[in-house]
Amino acid sequence: MKWHLDRIATALGLVAAVAAMSGMVATGAYDHAAAAEARGYQALFHAVSQQAAPTTVPSTEVGA
């Protein structure tokens, strides 16, 4: 009898998760969150690349 209850709880949880995701996509909240995440990654990459870039290029010539 317990495995019947487990199956019912699993099915209800799946239905609730699908309904929540559908609601999020329908309201545009997902698009907003995805765009904000992309802007955050872009800003982070820009800041890190600015710090990691060398200010001068070392010379590779032997006699220099």
Tab-separated table of all heavy atoms in Angstrom:
chain	number	residue	atom	x	y	z
A	1	MET	N	0.818	-1.201	0.000
A	1	MET	CA	0.000	0.000	0.000
A	1	MET	C	0.861	1.263	0.000
A	1	MET	O	0.478	2.267	-0.551
A	1	MET	CB	-0.925	-0.053	1.223
A	1	MET	CG	-1.846	1.112	1.350
A	1	MET	SD	-3.063	1.062	0.029
A	1	MET	CE	-4.009	2.464	0.413
A	2	LYS	N	2.039	1.172	0.642
A	2	LYS	CA	2.901	2.349	0.725
A	2	LYS	C	3.384	2.784	-0.654
A	2	LYS	O	3.473	3.973	-0.932
A	2	LYS	CB	4.094	2.054	1.633
A	2	LYS	CG	5.107	3.176	1.661
A	2	LYS	CD	5.670	3.375	3.018
A	2	LYS	CE	6.789	4.364	3.058
A	2	LYS	NZ	6.596	5.618	2.477
A	3	TRP	N	3.706	1.836	-1.540
A	3	TRP	CA	4.215	2.220	-2.854
A	3	TRP	C	3.151	2.907	-3.684
A	3	TRP	O	3.470	3.697	-4.564
A	3	TRP	CB	4.830	1.036	-3.584
A	3	TRP	CG	3.930	-0.144	-3.789
A	3	TRP	CD1	3.655	-1.126	-2.898
A	3	TRP	CD2	3.171	-0.431	-4.953
A	3	TRP	NE1	2.776	-2.015	-3.440
A	3	TRP	CE2	2.455	-1.613	-4.709
A	3	TRP	CE3	3.033	0.192	-6.192
A	3	TRP	CZ2	1.611	-2.173	-5.644
A	3	TRP	CZ3	2.193	-0.378	-7.125
A	3	TRP	CH2	1.490	-1.551	-6.850
A	4	HIS	N	1.865	2.656	-3.397
A	4	HIS	CA	0.797	3.391	-4.081
A	4	HIS	C	0.829	4.864	-3.673
A	4	HIS	O	0.689	5.749	-4.514
A	4	HIS	CB	-0.585	2.802	-3.745
A	4	HIS	CG	-0.864	1.500	-4.416
A	4	HIS	ND1	-0.891	1.356	-5.776
A	4	HIS	CD2	-1.134	0.277	-3.904
A	4	HIS	CE1	-1.164	0.103	-6.082
A	4	HIS	NE2	-1.313	-0.587	-4.948
A	5	LEU	N	1.037	5.093	-2.397
A	5	LEU	CA	1.105	6.476	-1.914
A	5	LEU	C	2.341	7.188	-2.470
A	5	LEU	O	2.293	8.377	-2.775
A	5	LEU	CB	1.118	6.495	-0.384
A	5	LEU	CG	-0.163	6.000	0.295
A	5	LEU	CD1	0.019	5.978	1.805
A	5	LEU	CD2	-1.346	6.860	-0.096
A	6	ASP	N	3.439	6.461	-2.591
A	6	ASP	CA	4.652	7.051	-3.162
A	6	ASP	C	4.431	7.448	-4.618
A	6	ASP	O	4.874	8.509	-5.055
A	6	ASP	CB	5.814	6.070	-3.064
A	6	ASP	CG	6.321	5.885	-1.645
A	6	ASP	OD1	5.984	6.727	-0.787
A	6	ASP	OD2	7.055	4.911	-1.404
A	7	ARG	N	3.743	6.591	-5.353
A	7	ARG	CA	3.476	6.905	-6.758
A	7	ARG	C	2.542	8.102	-6.895
A	7	ARG	O	2.724	8.945	-7.762
A	7	ARG	CB	2.875	5.694	-7.462
A	7	ARG	CG	3.880	4.618	-7.729
A	7	ARG	CD	3.267	3.487	-8.513
A	7	ARG	NE	4.258	2.460	-8.784
A	7	ARG	CZ	4.006	1.363	-9.458
A	7	ARG	NH1	2.792	1.128	-9.932
A	7	ARG	NH2	4.954	0.482	-9.666
A	8	ILE	N	1.545	8.179	-6.031
A	8	ILE	CA	0.613	9.307	-6.068
A	8	ILE	C	1.343	10.607	-5.726
A	8	ILE	O	1.172	11.626	-6.398
A	8	ILE	CB	-0.581	9.065	-5.117
A	8	ILE	CG1	-1.450	7.928	-5.656
A	8	ILE	CG2	-1.399	10.334	-4.934
A	8	ILE	CD1	-2.519	7.468	-4.676
A	9	ALA	N	2.188	10.560	-4.694
A	9	ALA	CA	2.936	11.755	-4.302
A	9	ALA	C	3.898	12.183	-5.408
A	9	ALA	O	4.051	13.383	-5.684
A	9	ALA	CB	3.701	11.489	-3.011
A	10	THR	N	4.533	11.225	-6.068
A	10	THR	CA	5.444	11.542	-7.163
A	10	THR	C	4.699	12.186	-8.325
A	10	THR	O	5.154	13.189	-8.896
A	10	THR	CB	6.155	10.265	-7.650
A	10	THR	OG1	6.869	9.697	-6.550
A	10	THR	CG2	7.111	10.568	-8.773
A	11	ALA	N	3.552	11.630	-8.674
A	11	ALA	CA	2.768	12.186	-9.782
A	11	ALA	C	2.282	13.593	-9.462
A	11	ALA	O	2.345	14.489	-10.311
A	11	ALA	CB	1.585	11.269	-10.090
A	12	LEU	N	1.814	13.808	-8.237
A	12	LEU	CA	1.345	15.143	-7.850
A	12	LEU	C	2.495	16.152	-7.833
A	12	LEU	O	2.322	17.307	-8.237
A	12	LEU	CB	0.656	15.095	-6.494
A	12	LEU	CG	-0.699	14.382	-6.467
A	12	LEU	CD1	-1.230	14.316	-5.036
A	12	LEU	CD2	-1.689	15.063	-7.379
A	13	GLY	N	3.660	15.724	-7.382
A	13	GLY	CA	4.824	16.606	-7.390
A	13	GLY	C	5.244	16.986	-8.795
A	13	GLY	O	5.597	18.136	-9.062
A	14	LEU	N	5.194	16.021	-9.702
A	14	LEU	CA	5.532	16.297	-11.092
A	14	LEU	C	4.543	17.266	-11.725
A	14	LEU	O	4.931	18.212	-12.423
A	14	LEU	CB	5.587	14.992	-11.892
A	14	LEU	CG	5.982	15.110	-13.349
A	14	LEU	CD1	7.393	15.676	-13.482
A	14	LEU	CD2	5.884	13.764	-14.038
A	15	VAL	N	3.271	17.058	-11.458
A	15	VAL	CA	2.239	17.955	-11.993
A	15	VAL	C	2.422	19.369	-11.439
A	15	VAL	O	2.329	20.354	-12.179
A	15	VAL	CB	0.830	17.412	-11.683
A	15	VAL	CG1	-0.234	18.448	-11.954
A	15	VAL	CG2	0.565	16.148	-12.497
A	16	ALA	N	2.729	19.478	-10.156
A	16	ALA	CA	2.932	20.799	-9.550
A	16	ALA	C	4.158	21.494	-10.141
A	16	ALA	O	4.131	22.704	-10.404
A	16	ALA	CB	3.075	20.657	-8.037
A	17	ALA	N	5.236	20.743	-10.383
A	17	ALA	CA	6.442	21.336	-10.953
A	17	ALA	C	6.200	21.812	-12.383
A	17	ALA	O	6.647	22.903	-12.762
A	17	ALA	CB	7.581	20.322	-10.921
A	18	VAL	N	5.491	21.017	-13.169
A	18	VAL	CA	5.197	21.415	-14.546
A	18	VAL	C	4.295	22.649	-14.560
A	18	VAL	O	4.497	23.569	-15.356
A	18	VAL	CB	4.562	20.242	-15.323
A	18	VAL	CG1	3.990	20.699	-16.646
A	18	VAL	CG2	5.587	19.146	-15.542
A	19	ALA	N	3.318	22.688	-13.660
A	19	ALA	CA	2.421	23.843	-13.596
A	19	ALA	C	3.185	25.108	-13.181
A	19	ALA	O	2.967	26.188	-13.741
A	19	ALA	CB	1.288	23.574	-12.615
A	20	ALA	N	4.092	24.973	-12.228
A	20	ALA	CA	4.872	26.132	-11.784
A	20	ALA	C	5.773	26.647	-12.901
A	20	ALA	O	5.874	27.859	-13.125
A	20	ALA	CB	5.698	25.762	-10.562
A	21	MET	N	6.429	25.731	-13.631
A	21	MET	CA	7.301	26.156	-14.729
A	21	MET	C	6.494	26.775	-15.861
A	21	MET	O	6.917	27.780	-16.444
A	21	MET	CB	8.101	24.960	-15.244
A	21	MET	CG	9.095	25.339	-16.298
A	21	MET	SD	10.259	26.554	-15.721
A	21	MET	CE	11.773	25.756	-16.067
A	22	SER	N	5.342	26.221	-16.148
A	22	SER	CA	4.489	26.800	-17.196
A	22	SER	C	4.031	28.202	-16.823
A	22	SER	O	4.004	29.099	-17.664
A	22	SER	CB	3.269	25.907	-17.427
A	22	SER	OG	3.658	24.641	-17.871
A	23	GLY	N	3.680	28.385	-15.571
A	23	GLY	CA	3.277	29.709	-15.110
A	23	GLY	C	4.409	30.706	-15.195
A	23	GLY	O	4.213	31.868	-15.564
A	24	MET	N	5.614	30.263	-14.873
A	24	MET	CA	6.767	31.146	-14.939
A	24	MET	C	7.064	31.562	-16.374
A	24	MET	O	7.353	32.727	-16.662
A	24	MET	CB	7.979	30.426	-14.349
A	24	MET	CG	8.801	31.259	-13.420
A	24	MET	SD	10.017	30.274	-12.589
A	24	MET	CE	11.370	30.452	-13.693
A	25	VAL	N	6.987	30.620	-17.286
A	25	VAL	CA	7.253	30.923	-18.691
A	25	VAL	C	6.158	31.821	-19.265
A	25	VAL	O	6.435	32.754	-20.022
A	25	VAL	CB	7.398	29.614	-19.507
A	25	VAL	CG1	7.429	29.896	-20.994
A	25	VAL	CG2	8.653	28.870	-19.078
A	26	ALA	N	4.901	31.556	-18.891
A	26	ALA	CA	3.778	32.326	-19.434
A	26	ALA	C	3.800	33.782	-18.972
A	26	ALA	O	3.389	34.676	-19.705
A	26	ALA	CB	2.457	31.672	-19.039
A	27	THR	N	4.288	34.043	-17.760
A	27	THR	CA	4.292	35.417	-17.247
A	27	THR	C	5.501	36.220	-17.709
A	27	THR	O	5.544	37.427	-17.514
A	27	THR	CB	4.269	35.430	-15.709
A	27	THR	OG1	5.433	34.751	-15.222
A	27	THR	CG2	3.015	34.776	-15.170
A	28	GLY	N	6.494	35.569	-18.293
A	28	GLY	CA	7.684	36.285	-18.737
A	28	GLY	C	8.759	36.384	-17.670
A	28	GLY	O	9.807	36.971	-17.904
A	29	ALA	N	8.510	35.821	-16.497
A	29	ALA	CA	9.512	35.872	-15.434
A	29	ALA	C	10.756	35.084	-15.809
A	29	ALA	O	11.872	35.466	-15.451
A	29	ALA	CB	8.922	35.334	-14.131
A	30	TYR	N	10.585	34.001	-16.538
A	30	TYR	CA	11.731	33.185	-16.959
A	30	TYR	C	12.625	33.972	-17.912
A	30	TYR	O	13.851	33.953	-17.772
A	30	TYR	CB	11.240	31.898	-17.617
A	30	TYR	CG	12.352	30.959	-18.001
A	30	TYR	CD1	12.958	30.160	-17.052
A	30	TYR	CD2	12.805	30.896	-19.312
A	30	TYR	CE1	13.989	29.304	-17.389
A	30	TYR	CE2	13.832	30.042	-19.662
A	30	TYR	CZ	14.422	29.245	-18.703
A	30	TYR	OH	15.444	28.413	-19.044
A	31	ASP	N	12.030	34.664	-18.869
A	31	ASP	CA	12.808	35.470	-19.810
A	31	ASP	C	13.585	36.559	-19.086
A	31	ASP	O	14.752	36.821	-19.387
A	31	ASP	CB	11.905	36.106	-20.859
A	31	ASP	CG	11.296	35.096	-21.802
A	31	ASP	OD1	11.881	34.010	-21.978
A	31	ASP	OD2	10.227	35.402	-22.368
A	32	HIS	N	12.927	37.200	-18.124
A	32	HIS	CA	13.569	38.268	-17.359
A	32	HIS	C	14.754	37.717	-16.560
A	32	HIS	O	15.833	38.314	-16.541
A	32	HIS	CB	12.549	38.932	-16.436
A	32	HIS	CG	13.112	40.046	-15.638
A	32	HIS	ND1	13.519	41.235	-16.196
A	32	HIS	CD2	13.360	40.152	-14.308
A	32	HIS	CE1	13.986	42.021	-15.244
A	32	HIS	NE2	13.903	41.377	-14.093
A	33	ALA	N	14.554	36.577	-15.909
A	33	ALA	CA	15.623	35.980	-15.108
A	33	ALA	C	16.780	35.518	-15.988
A	33	ALA	O	17.954	35.698	-15.633
A	33	ALA	CB	15.084	34.813	-14.300
A	34	ALA	N	16.476	34.940	-17.142
A	34	ALA	CA	17.531	34.485	-18.050
A	34	ALA	C	18.330	35.668	-18.595
A	34	ALA	O	19.557	35.594	-18.713
A	34	ALA	CB	16.927	33.683	-19.188
A	35	ALA	N	17.667	36.751	-18.918
A	35	ALA	CA	18.365	37.934	-19.415
A	35	ALA	C	19.249	38.550	-18.332
A	35	ALA	O	20.379	38.969	-18.605
A	35	ALA	CB	17.359	38.964	-19.921
A	36	ALA	N	18.751	38.591	-17.104
A	36	ALA	CA	19.545	39.139	-16.006
A	36	ALA	C	20.773	38.279	-15.748
A	36	ALA	O	21.863	38.796	-15.488
A	36	ALA	CB	18.692	39.240	-14.745
A	37	GLU	N	20.616	36.960	-15.836
A	37	GLU	CA	21.752	36.066	-15.639
A	37	GLU	C	22.786	36.263	-16.748
A	37	GLU	O	23.989	36.301	-16.483
A	37	GLU	CB	21.271	34.620	-15.617
A	37	GLU	CG	22.368	33.628	-15.338
A	37	GLU	CD	21.865	32.204	-15.287
A	37	GLU	OE1	20.686	31.961	-15.580
A	37	GLU	OE2	22.680	31.330	-14.967
A	38	ALA	N	22.335	36.423	-17.970
A	38	ALA	CA	23.261	36.636	-19.085
A	38	ALA	C	24.010	37.952	-18.921
A	38	ALA	O	25.222	38.019	-19.175
A	38	ALA	CB	22.500	36.614	-20.398
A	39	ARG	N	23.320	39.004	-18.493
A	39	ARG	CA	23.999	40.290	-18.263
A	39	ARG	C	25.014	40.162	-17.137
A	39	ARG	O	26.098	40.749	-17.194
A	39	ARG	CB	22.986	41.380	-17.941
A	39	ARG	CG	22.248	41.918	-19.138
A	39	ARG	CD	21.453	43.165	-18.805
A	39	ARG	NE	20.539	42.998	-17.692
A	39	ARG	CZ	19.293	42.542	-17.782
A	39	ARG	NH1	18.805	42.218	-18.968
A	39	ARG	NH2	18.530	42.424	-16.726
A	40	GLY	N	24.676	39.406	-16.107
A	40	GLY	CA	25.608	39.208	-14.990
A	40	GLY	C	26.857	38.482	-15.422
A	40	GLY	O	27.973	38.860	-15.057
A	41	TYR	N	26.701	37.432	-16.222
A	41	TYR	CA	27.867	36.711	-16.721
A	41	TYR	C	28.700	37.586	-17.646
A	41	TYR	O	29.926	37.545	-17.620
A	41	TYR	CB	27.453	35.436	-17.460
A	41	TYR	CG	27.121	34.281	-16.546
A	41	TYR	CD1	25.945	33.573	-16.716
A	41	TYR	CD2	27.987	33.899	-15.534
A	41	TYR	CE1	25.636	32.508	-15.875
A	41	TYR	CE2	27.685	32.847	-14.697
A	41	TYR	CZ	26.511	32.147	-14.876
A	41	TYR	OH	26.207	31.111	-14.059
A	42	GLN	N	28.048	38.383	-18.451
A	42	GLN	CA	28.764	39.286	-19.363
A	42	GLN	C	29.581	40.292	-18.563
A	42	GLN	O	30.750	40.536	-18.862
A	42	GLN	CB	27.766	40.014	-20.270
A	42	GLN	CG	28.387	41.004	-21.213
A	42	GLN	CD	28.995	40.348	-22.426
A	42	GLN	OE1	28.651	39.233	-22.756
A	42	GLN	NE2	29.886	41.039	-23.077
A	43	ALA	N	28.986	40.872	-17.523
A	43	ALA	CA	29.689	41.850	-16.692
A	43	ALA	C	30.843	41.197	-15.939
A	43	ALA	O	31.929	41.772	-15.825
A	43	ALA	CB	28.713	42.501	-15.717
A	44	LEU	N	30.616	39.997	-15.426
A	44	LEU	CA	31.667	39.295	-14.707
A	44	LEU	C	32.829	38.960	-15.634
A	44	LEU	O	33.994	39.169	-15.292
A	44	LEU	CB	31.109	38.011	-14.080
A	44	LEU	CG	32.099	37.139	-13.323
A	44	LEU	CD1	32.648	37.890	-12.114
A	44	LEU	CD2	31.441	35.847	-12.897
A	45	PHE	N	32.531	38.470	-16.823
A	45	PHE	CA	33.583	38.140	-17.786
A	45	PHE	C	34.373	39.395	-18.170
A	45	PHE	O	35.593	39.363	-18.265
A	45	PHE	CB	32.977	37.498	-19.036
A	45	PHE	CG	33.990	37.184	-20.090
A	45	PHE	CD1	34.878	36.135	-19.937
A	45	PHE	CD2	34.078	37.963	-21.231
A	45	PHE	CE1	35.818	35.851	-20.900
A	45	PHE	CE2	35.017	37.688	-22.202
A	45	PHE	CZ	35.889	36.633	-22.045
A	46	HIS	N	33.673	40.500	-18.358
A	46	HIS	CA	34.340	41.749	-18.730
A	46	HIS	C	35.278	42.205	-17.610
A	46	HIS	O	36.423	42.600	-17.868
A	46	HIS	CB	33.306	42.821	-19.039
A	46	HIS	CG	33.898	44.112	-19.505
A	46	HIS	ND1	34.538	44.246	-20.716
A	46	HIS	CD2	33.970	45.329	-18.908
A	46	HIS	CE1	34.967	45.492	-20.839
A	46	HIS	NE2	34.637	46.162	-19.756
A	47	ALA	N	34.828	42.143	-16.370
A	47	ALA	CA	35.656	42.576	-15.238
A	47	ALA	C	36.869	41.673	-15.065
A	47	ALA	O	37.983	42.155	-14.836
A	47	ALA	CB	34.826	42.590	-13.966
A	48	VAL	N	36.685	40.377	-15.206
A	48	VAL	CA	37.798	39.449	-15.038
A	48	VAL	C	38.795	39.590	-16.181
A	48	VAL	O	40.007	39.552	-15.964
A	48	VAL	CB	37.276	37.999	-14.928
A	48	VAL	CG1	38.400	36.981	-15.023
A	48	VAL	CG2	36.514	37.819	-13.624
A	49	SER	N	38.306	39.769	-17.393
A	49	SER	CA	39.228	39.896	-18.522
A	49	SER	C	40.018	41.198	-18.433
A	49	SER	O	41.167	41.251	-18.862
A	49	SER	CB	38.479	39.817	-19.847
A	49	SER	OG	37.643	40.940	-20.017
A	50	GLN	N	39.447	42.247	-17.872
A	50	GLN	CA	40.173	43.505	-17.688
A	50	GLN	C	41.295	43.330	-16.674
A	50	GLN	O	42.371	43.880	-16.837
A	50	GLN	CB	39.218	44.605	-17.212
A	50	GLN	CG	38.239	45.060	-18.260
A	50	GLN	CD	38.911	45.886	-19.344
A	50	GLN	OE1	39.928	46.508	-19.126
A	50	GLN	NE2	38.322	45.869	-20.520
A	51	GLN	N	41.053	42.573	-15.618
A	51	GLN	CA	42.067	42.365	-14.581
A	51	GLN	C	43.170	41.427	-15.057
A	51	GLN	O	44.316	41.572	-14.684
A	51	GLN	CB	41.431	41.783	-13.323
A	51	GLN	CG	40.528	42.744	-12.607
A	51	GLN	CD	39.824	42.094	-11.429
A	51	GLN	OE1	39.960	40.913	-11.204
A	51	GLN	NE2	39.074	42.887	-10.698
A	52	ALA	N	42.827	40.455	-15.877
A	52	ALA	CA	43.796	39.447	-16.294
A	52	ALA	C	44.673	39.917	-17.452
A	52	ALA	O	45.712	39.335	-17.697
A	52	ALA	CB	43.074	38.166	-16.690
A	53	ALA	N	44.276	40.956	-18.152
A	53	ALA	CA	45.039	41.416	-19.312
A	53	ALA	C	46.332	42.092	-18.858
A	53	ALA	O	46.315	42.955	-17.987
A	53	ALA	CB	44.198	42.385	-20.141
A	54	PRO	N	47.447	41.700	-19.434
A	54	PRO	CA	48.714	42.357	-19.056
A	54	PRO	C	48.763	43.782	-19.611
A	54	PRO	O	48.235	44.065	-20.677
A	54	PRO	CB	49.785	41.478	-19.706
A	54	PRO	CG	49.080	40.785	-20.826
A	54	PRO	CD	47.640	40.633	-20.395
A	55	THR	N	49.406	44.656	-18.874
A	55	THR	CA	49.507	46.051	-19.311
A	55	THR	C	50.606	46.230	-20.335
A	55	THR	O	50.519	47.081	-21.199
A	55	THR	CB	49.752	46.969	-18.107
A	55	THR	OG1	50.912	46.518	-17.422
A	55	THR	CG2	48.566	46.968	-17.178
A	56	THR	N	51.685	45.446	-20.231
A	56	THR	CA	52.755	45.516	-21.217
A	56	THR	C	53.048	44.097	-21.715
A	56	THR	O	52.917	43.136	-20.964
A	56	THR	CB	54.049	46.106	-20.622
A	56	THR	OG1	54.454	45.275	-19.551
A	56	THR	CG2	53.822	47.527	-20.148
A	57	VAL	N	53.474	44.012	-22.948
A	57	VAL	CA	53.821	42.718	-23.521
A	57	VAL	C	55.315	42.506	-23.345
A	57	VAL	O	56.111	43.358	-23.777
A	57	VAL	CB	53.437	42.672	-25.022
A	57	VAL	CG1	53.838	41.345	-25.634
A	57	VAL	CG2	51.956	42.930	-25.185
A	58	PRO	N	55.704	41.419	-22.692
A	58	PRO	CA	57.151	41.198	-22.496
A	58	PRO	C	57.842	40.893	-23.826
A	58	PRO	O	57.254	40.292	-24.722
A	58	PRO	CB	57.216	39.986	-21.564
A	58	PRO	CG	55.888	39.328	-21.677
A	58	PRO	CD	54.909	40.397	-22.063
A	59	SER	N	59.050	41.333	-23.932
A	59	SER	CA	59.812	41.136	-25.159
A	59	SER	C	60.313	39.692	-25.230
A	59	SER	O	60.777	39.133	-24.226
A	59	SER	CB	61.006	42.081	-25.185
A	59	SER	OG	61.791	41.832	-26.310
A	60	THR	N	60.235	39.113	-26.400
A	60	THR	CA	60.729	37.742	-26.593
A	60	THR	C	62.024	37.718	-27.390
A	60	THR	O	62.529	36.651	-27.696
A	60	THR	CB	59.668	36.892	-27.334
A	60	THR	OG1	59.359	37.517	-28.578
A	60	THR	CG2	58.422	36.723	-26.506
A	61	GLU	N	62.569	38.875	-27.688
A	61	GLU	CA	63.827	38.933	-28.422
A	61	GLU	C	64.983	38.580	-27.499
A	61	GLU	O	64.990	38.945	-26.322
A	61	GLU	CB	64.039	40.327	-29.011
A	61	GLU	CG	63.013	40.697	-30.071
A	61	GLU	CD	63.223	42.099	-30.606
A	61	GLU	OE1	64.276	42.706	-30.307
A	61	GLU	OE2	62.346	42.574	-31.309
A	62	VAL	N	65.994	37.911	-28.038
A	62	VAL	CA	67.129	37.461	-27.222
A	62	VAL	C	68.023	38.628	-26.812
A	62	VAL	O	68.436	38.744	-25.670
A	62	VAL	CB	67.941	36.385	-27.988
A	62	VAL	CG1	69.167	35.974	-27.195
A	62	VAL	CG2	67.083	35.203	-28.318
A	63	GLY	N	68.268	39.563	-27.706
A	63	GLY	CA	69.185	40.661	-27.415
A	63	GLY	C	68.506	41.884	-26.828
A	63	GLY	O	69.161	42.881	-26.572
A	64	ALA	N	67.260	41.859	-26.563
A	64	ALA	CA	66.571	43.063	-26.116
A	64	ALA	C	66.756	43.361	-24.685
A	64	ALA	O	66.898	42.748	-23.775
A	64	ALA	CB	65.076	42.957	-26.416
